[in-house]
Amino acid sequence: MKSSMILKASMVAAFSLLGLSSASAQDARTLKDAYKDAFKIGAAVSSFDLNERSAKTQELLLTQFNALSIGNEMKPESLHPQPDVWNWRGGDAYVEWGKAHGMWLLGHTLCWHNQTPAFFWNDGNGNPKPKRELFNTIERYIETVCTHYLGKVDAWDVINEIVSEEGGYRDLGWVHALGGKTEDVDEFIKHVFRCAAKYAPDTELYYNEFNVWRPSKLAGVIRLVKMLQADGIRIDGVGIQAHWGLNYPENHYIDEAIDQLAALGVKVMITEIDVDVLPISKEGQVIGKSLQEAQYQLEEFEKFLDPYKDGLPAEVEAQHAARYQELFQIFYNHRDQIDRVTFWGTHDGSSWKNGSPIPRRTNYALLWNRDYTPHKAFDLVVDVPNPKPAKAAKKRK
Ligand code: GLA
């Protein structure tokens, strides 16, 4: 069966599961239709979302989205948890479901400091590996993973989050193992992208980063892209993660980051959007684990830090809607430069923002509530490309 036929058949099945007729399916306004001439619309999923127990999530995916990212199951700690163990189950389920349903698929992520076992960097005795061993380790890893998924994913996030807020490199993971010298890390980054180009031909290759809007960090990302380009090493795009909040970043920063990255001739993607509505993370992305300290779980802090356990007050729902609307207006204005906008999750219950940077909170970061009803933001976002005609002004008496 052609993938478009499979897609249609599974949409009908998904709608009938929810008691909707396929006619109402066609009438429904959807994100992917609203933005079909602008950019792809993606969601991050887990293999659990794609099994038989998650029919409602799949209905959302099939009706609203045309691109997928995999949240965790293609990270090094999932695919290669121990030196002699490879675990393809989650990733394979993802590519199988995604391909069967005609989705564009991202592999995420080959090289990162986080969710990567220490044996990537240390030898059997826990001592740091020498530089050539580190280069060899990442090459064998990329070879194995990219060969396994060759022709099955459309793109790879090749390196994730290696640039610091100041624009240098973060002294973590690979950078730390290499000793942190800029020249060595530059060489390593070139090696990693060269390996990806070698073992993942015909697959797009991206750099993915958070807080790219910050001018000092943006400069570091631009330096990285230019460095690869100067050596003729393939990089096809840059992902702006967009873990943002009700009150940050200022919109002009977003415009500037998109323009400056697009000027490099690479695709720009908004790769992991969510809008945090809780204190204090609605004001800025908290890096690290400081807010996980037990004192912040005390009653007096809990009231302040987790105020919407019983539901989102109407005024915050309105702020959440307005924030999503203005963000999508920015993306739409830049539609010639943006290739894809991906949400980091589907409904609020699936968001990492309930657990980070403070564990066990009730956040409302996405376009659907926990019961799969849409937030007000959904309507406003869908309307951005086709604004409703303004209501005629009332005639004066
Ligand atoms: C980063 C990573 C993602 C994910 C999110 C939080 O942005 O790129 O894989 O871990 O953090 O869930």
Side-chain angles (χ1 to χ4, degrees), residues 87-386:
N87 169 23
W88 305 107
R89 218 169 336 143
D92 287 0
Y94 165 75
V95 294
E96 202 177 301
W97 193 93
K99 282 284 165 214
H101 295 90
M103 295 281 187
W104 181 95
L105 296 177
L106 178 74
H108 170 85
T109 177
L110 293 171
C111 178
W112 195 22
H113 66 274
N114 205 356
Q115 293 181 263
T116 301
F119 74 81
F120 278 71
W121 308 309
N122 299 334
D123 66 19
N125 301 319
N127 298 319
K129 290 180 183 173
K131 184 169 143 189
R132 63 162 199 294
E133 261 303 295
L134 292 166
F135 277 49
N136 190 36
T137 301
I138 194 68
E139 176 154 7
R140 297 285 76 83
Y141 179 76
I142 290 175
E143 177 182 19
T144 308
V145 173
C146 291
T147 305
H148 185 87
Y149 289 116
L150 190 61
K152 297 181 176 164
V153 294
D154 296 283
W156 276 107
D157 281 341
V158 177
I159 299 185
N160 207 25
E161 303 179 348
I162 205 166
V163 174
S164 70
E165 299 301 295
E166 299 76 29
Y169 293 129
R170 297 173 84 187
D171 188 19
L172 298 166
W174 295 97
V175 176
H176 189 73
L178 284 162
K181 273 208 213 112
T182 304
E183 313 83 81
D184 291 335
V185 183
D186 286 349
E187 201 191 322
F188 176 76
I189 290 172
K190 291 181 198 175
H191 173 67
V192 171
F193 270 88
R194 275 198 191 102
C195 291
K198 177 170 172 195
Y199 299 113
D202 304 320
T203 310
E204 297 211 326
L205 306 178
Y206 304 149
Y207 178 70
N208 191 47
E209 186 59 271
F210 70 97
N211 282 351
V212 176
W213 59 267
R214 194 187 302 290
S216 51
K217 194 162 192 177
L218 177 61
V221 174
I222 289 173
R223 177 185 171 277
L224 184 155
V225 174
K226 285 187 167 166
M227 171 181 85
L228 295 173
Q229 291 175 331
D231 277 17
I233 301 169
R234 185 158 72 85
I235 172 164
D236 300 301
V238 173
I240 297 176
Q241 288 186 7
H243 296 298
W244 292 336
L246 276 187
N247 301 332
Y248 86 100
E250 289 180 23
N251 294 341
H252 70 95
Y253 284 131
I254 303 173
D255 279 317
E256 286 150 17
I258 296 169
D259 283 339
Q260 290 191 41
L261 291 171
L264 302 173
V266 293
K267 288 184 177 175
V268 179
M269 291 145 301
I270 306 297
T271 51
E272 306 185 10
I273 192 168
D274 34 43
V275 170
D276 193 321
V277 303
L278 296 180
I280 63 169
S281 42
K282 68 178 180 203
E283 309 291 350
Q285 184 161 351
V286 177
I287 305 169
K289 299 191 187 313
S290 53
L291 287 174
Q292 287 178 20
E293 278 181 23
Q295 60 168 320
Y296 296 116
Q297 309 282 316
L298 294 172
E299 190 184 331
E300 60 275 28
F301 282 117
E302 195 186 330
K303 256 193 219 160
F304 170 72
L305 292 169
D306 192 12
Y308 312 134
K309 281 187 204 300
D310 300 327
L312 197 59
E315 74 269 18
V316 188
E317 176 83 26
Q319 289 166 18
H320 171 266
R323 181 65 174 142
Y324 260 116
Q325 182 186 35
E326 69 185 12
L327 291 175
F328 270 78
Q329 187 64 61
I330 294 174
F331 305 153
Y332 192 67
N333 294 346
H334 288 274
R335 60 191 175 282
D336 295 343
Q337 299 158 312
I338 291 182
D339 185 62
R340 170 173 54 98
V341 176
T342 290
F343 292 83
W344 203 247
T346 46
H347 61 88
D348 289 335
S350 71
S351 171
W352 73 302
K353 286 285 177 175
N354 299 304
S356 181
I358 302 174
R360 294 181 295 283
R361 296 199 294 176
T362 304
N363 215 328
Y364 300 81
L366 296 166
L367 290 190
W368 284 271
N369 288 290
R370 286 162 174 75
D371 63 0
Y372 293 85
T373 56
H375 277 292
K376 282 197 171 37
F378 172 79
D379 270 334
L380 299 190
V381 166
V382 166
D383 284 344
V384 164
N386 298 297

